[in-house]
Amino acid sequence: MLDELGVEIACGTLQPGTVLRVEQLQIRFDVSRTVAREVVRTLEAMRLTTSKRRVGVTVRDPAEWNHYDPRLIRWQLDGEGRAAALRNLTELRSAVEPSAARFAALRAGPEQRGRLSALADHLAGTARAADLRAFLDHDIAFHHLVLTASGNPMFGQLSEVVAEVLTGRTGHGLMPPRPQPAAVRLHAEVAVAIAAGQADRAERAMRDIVVQAREEMFELIE
């Protein structure tokens, strides 16, 4: 119920200003009032809806949504507005991840640097094997580690957003059948630069990763 309503709101099937009533939701989804109200509370917590006594549950304007909620990102990627969502998310990554790589080169601890190098090796191995599922797992871990190793907790909290982008890209067939050698090399370059404390090099390589991902995705979308 939550996923279905979420997709309808995220993709514009339920337009801002649409009023939903708990009783109608109970009938539509054949659920108890308790379940319907719990779903409504979740949508309200995500700022997708607001409730008023004697009015009902009203869909909010997109400008008021919590666009960093991983569930909302997943719903947007599942709908017809996927290209626009990916464009917005890639712009966010372009603004944040290169800076995170720069600060990781300056602040990461020895264990983080070693773990990043190991993940780069795992990415290379799974790319050679064309194992997209394992590649995705290592890719998520790699970008999570760069964001957290930046030492900036606000960057670190964006790791779930990046994970949804990477997962959605694979799940919707927006990855090449085999990860491109250039992408693998760039991840290794980021790891080497961070291990060596070379901030400019790390930032440049991470920016190249995001640019390449954007080009690959939109080539497949178009």
Side-chain angles (χ1 to χ4, degrees):
M1 178 179 175
L2 177 62
D3 284 336
E4 190 166 335
L5 286 173
V7 169
E8 290 177 0
I9 294 171
C11 300
T13 303
L14 293 175
Q15 291 285 316
T18 300
V19 176
L20 309 171
R21 299 193 181 282
V22 172
E23 295 78 8
Q24 294 170 334
L25 294 175
Q26 286 180 252
I27 295 170
R28 175 183 169 185
F29 292 98
D30 190 24
V31 296
S32 69
R33 185 174 183 82
T34 300
V35 169
R37 290 180 65 84
E38 184 61 33
V39 168
V40 166
R41 278 194 289 269
T42 301
L43 294 173
E44 288 176 358
M46 298 172 68
R47 299 184 60 80
L48 297 180
T49 62
T50 184
S51 296
K52 289 185 179 179
R53 190 181 299 276
R54 291 190 294 275
V55 174
V57 181
T58 305
V59 178
R60 302 179 74 149
D61 187 275
E64 301 174 318
W65 298 351
N66 177 10
H67 288 279
Y68 294 101
D69 192 299
R71 289 167 298 187
L72 176 55
I73 293 169
R74 192 179 315 132
W75 295 334
Q76 290 174 322
L77 294 179
D78 284 344
E80 295 179 0
R82 182 178 306 134
L86 284 170
R87 186 174 293 108
N88 292 337
L89 290 162
T90 301
E91 289 175 1
L92 176 66
R93 292 186 66 192
S94 297
V96 172
E97 289 199 82
S99 293
R102 161 176 285 277
F103 290 121
L106 300 174
R107 299 170 179 166
E111 183 178 343
Q112 290 172 316
R113 296 173 197 267
R115 176 63 179 152
L116 205 58
S117 296
L119 285 168
D121 290 340
H122 292 324
L123 284 169
T126 52
R128 286 192 297 270
D131 186 344
L132 290 183
R133 181 68 249 180
F135 185 89
L136 172 63
D137 291 341
H138 295 314
D139 201 20
I140 289 172
F142 185 95
H143 287 273
H144 170 76
L145 185 53
V146 171
L147 288 163
T148 54
S150 71
N152 185 323
M154 298 180 76
F155 284 176
Q157 288 193 0
L158 289 174
S159 62
E160 286 188 82
V161 172
V162 174
E164 286 297 335
V165 178
L166 298 174
T167 300
R169 184 184 175 196
T170 299
H172 291 292
L174 299 176
M175 275 282 290
R178 182 186 296 269
Q180 296 298 301
V184 176
R185 286 196 299 271
L186 284 170
H187 282 77
E189 174 77 358
V190 169
V192 169
I194 289 175
Q198 297 173 335
D200 289 344
R201 182 182 176 189
E203 182 176 16
R204 184 168 55 251
M206 183 60 82
R207 180 168 288 108
D208 289 343
I209 287 174
V210 178
V211 169
Q212 184 188 44
R214 181 187 63 209
E215 291 174 349
E216 288 178 351
M217 281 190 295
F218 286 102
E219 184 176 312
L220 291 168
I221 287 175
E222 296 166 2

